[in-house]
Amino acid sequence: MEPVLEVDLKGALPLVSRGKVRDIYQVDERTLLFISTDRVSAYDVLMENGIPNKGEILTSLTVYWLKFLTGALPSLRSHLVTTDLPAGVPVNSRDMARNRSLVVRKLKVFPVEAIVRGYLAGSAWLEYKESGTVHGIPLPAGLMESDKIPDGPLYTPSTKAEQGKHDENIHPDKAADIVGAAYAEDIKEVSIRLYELASFHALQRGIIIADTKFEFGHDEVTNEIVLIDEVLTPDSSRFWSLESYQPGKPQDSFDKQFLRDWLTKQGLKGKEGTVMPEDVVTKSREKYIEAYEKLTGETFRD
């Protein structure tokens, strides 16, 4: 099974940008076409090979979560218009683009990543060990790696860096300086609410959402904050097995952590030109599929 590293639209639609994983095309003045490829990046570096079906899984999970969250929170607006391919996609490209594409509203993007953390892991754990804080927010002493954060999830934003540069963890007050106090508070409130809704749902399916990243756009006509980008996928979240969860150590993950661990062990962290061996590709694909099936209750079919 070969990964789809690029979907060639034969110049039928203007290319807006090509990211590490997703290609964005202009449909018209108001809408964009997102195509999620099977490319994979870790530590901000793109791997030379991809993971088959990854783009389909991320797209399907995003659609699933958008339906769930807008149903649970009727006031929530998302950028999704349709999963149907626009007429401009050439006939001989449609099979490859189908099931990995979203037509979305074109919006002004808030330049912060709305990260919500329910558990101490990753960079949050490293900062806590060093200073007893997470994004500059003090936490009680004596917490262990992977502990649930006392008093509820934390809103811990980061800057949204340009491609090729690194995001920077910031205090929520700094986010207010970037996007404005009114918008910052609304983004914080809705991000925590979305995390709480998704976390409760995922726990019923045997998955802990340790942390996740949301992104938002601004509808300048209605002045609404709109949920955009991929939502609660293995690429934007840290998923753990509830069954094997044990604080005080790293956890079994249903996300890119398996690939990150392999890169670190092999001394390849952050190195360009890395080719994943077949066993890492296979195991990573299995992790993505397992996350999809556990969260949705559906069997993944490519």
Side-chain angles (χ1 to χ4, degrees):
M1 189 183 303
E2 290 298 317
V4 175
L5 300 181
E6 184 177 332
V7 178
D8 185 3
L9 298 190
K10 317 294 183 185
L13 294 176
L15 179 67
V16 176
S17 66
R18 177 164 284 129
K20 291 188 178 73
V21 172
R22 188 173 55 207
D23 298 336
I24 300 177
Y25 295 88
Q26 179 106 3
V27 178
D28 54 43
E29 288 185 359
R30 293 188 171 186
T31 53
L32 301 169
L33 173 64
F34 285 5
I35 301 180
S36 292
T37 70
D38 295 335
R39 301 191 296 264
V40 59
S41 69
Y43 297 117
D44 291 323
V45 173
L46 188 65
M47 302 294 105
E48 289 293 300
N49 50 341
I51 298 173
N53 303 122
K54 175 176 173 284
E56 295 169 272
I57 294 166
L58 298 189
T59 300
S60 297
L61 259 182
T62 292
V63 172
Y64 173 83
W65 280 116
L66 287 176
K67 182 178 180 181
F68 172 83
L69 292 171
T70 52
L73 195 64
S75 61
L76 178 68
R77 298 290 176 264
S78 88
H79 68 159
L80 179 61
V81 176
T82 181
T83 57
D84 295 333
L85 291 171
V89 176
V91 172
N92 54 356
S93 301
R94 296 182 79 85
D95 282 346
M96 193 172 288
R98 191 175 288 114
N99 300 324
R100 59 176 70 244
S101 300
L102 302 175
V103 176
V104 303
R105 286 194 285 159
K106 186 178 181 181
L107 299 165
K108 181 180 179 180
V109 178
F110 286 107
V112 294
E113 300 200 330
I115 300 167
V116 183
R117 303 179 189 273
Y119 295 77
L120 268 180
S123 62
W125 167 242
L126 294 177
E127 181 186 333
Y128 175 79
K129 282 198 302 181
E130 180 78 18
S131 62
T133 63
V134 172
H135 288 235
I137 303 168
L139 289 184
L143 298 178
M144 298 187 295
E145 182 176 9
S146 304
D147 260 341
K148 190 172 185 178
I149 294 174
D151 302 320
L154 285 182
Y155 174 65
T156 56
S158 73
T159 58
K160 187 174 173 60
E162 296 177 6
Q163 188 170 331
K165 297 183 179 180
H166 297 287
D167 299 335
E168 177 190 352
N169 291 346
I170 56 176
H171 189 279
D173 291 348
K174 181 70 179 294
D177 294 338
I178 295 172
V179 304
Y183 292 128
E185 188 59 29
D186 287 345
I187 289 171
K188 174 182 176 179
E189 288 183 5
V190 72
S191 297
I192 290 175
R193 183 63 181 138
L194 295 179
Y195 174 83
E196 290 172 337
L197 288 167
S199 292
F200 182 80
H201 177 73
L203 281 173
Q204 316 311 306
R205 305 297 178 93
I207 287 184
I208 294 171
I209 303 177
D211 53 52
T212 194
K213 175 198 74 174
F214 299 111
E215 295 195 41
F216 295 92
H218 181 216
D219 187 326
E220 295 177 290
V221 175
T222 64
N223 199 33
E224 290 178 303
I225 290 172
V226 182
L227 181 61
I228 66 171
D229 206 71
E230 64 180 292
V231 179
L232 292 155
T233 71
D235 275 16
S236 66
S237 314
R238 202 183 307 265
F239 295 145
W240 294 341
S241 167
L242 176 61
E243 183 180 7
S244 63
Y245 171 64
Q246 186 177 356
K249 63 176 185 177
Q251 306 299 306
D252 293 332
S253 296
F254 298 102
D255 50 48
K256 286 196 297 187
Q257 194 58 48
F258 177 80
L259 171 57
R260 295 189 192 102
D261 291 344
W262 177 79
L263 290 167
T264 301
K265 184 177 180 181
Q266 299 297 318
L268 297 172
K269 178 179 177 180
K271 292 193 176 181
E272 302 280 352
T274 298
V275 177
M276 298 177 289
E278 190 59 38
D279 63 317
V280 172
V281 171
T282 300
K283 186 67 174 179
S284 297
R285 180 176 181 272
E286 289 171 355
K287 291 280 188 181
Y288 278 93
I289 290 174
E290 188 173 4
Y292 172 84
E293 294 185 340
K294 277 182 172 289
L295 288 167
T296 67
E298 300 172 0
T299 301
F300 176 76
R301 294 180 175 87
D302 58 30

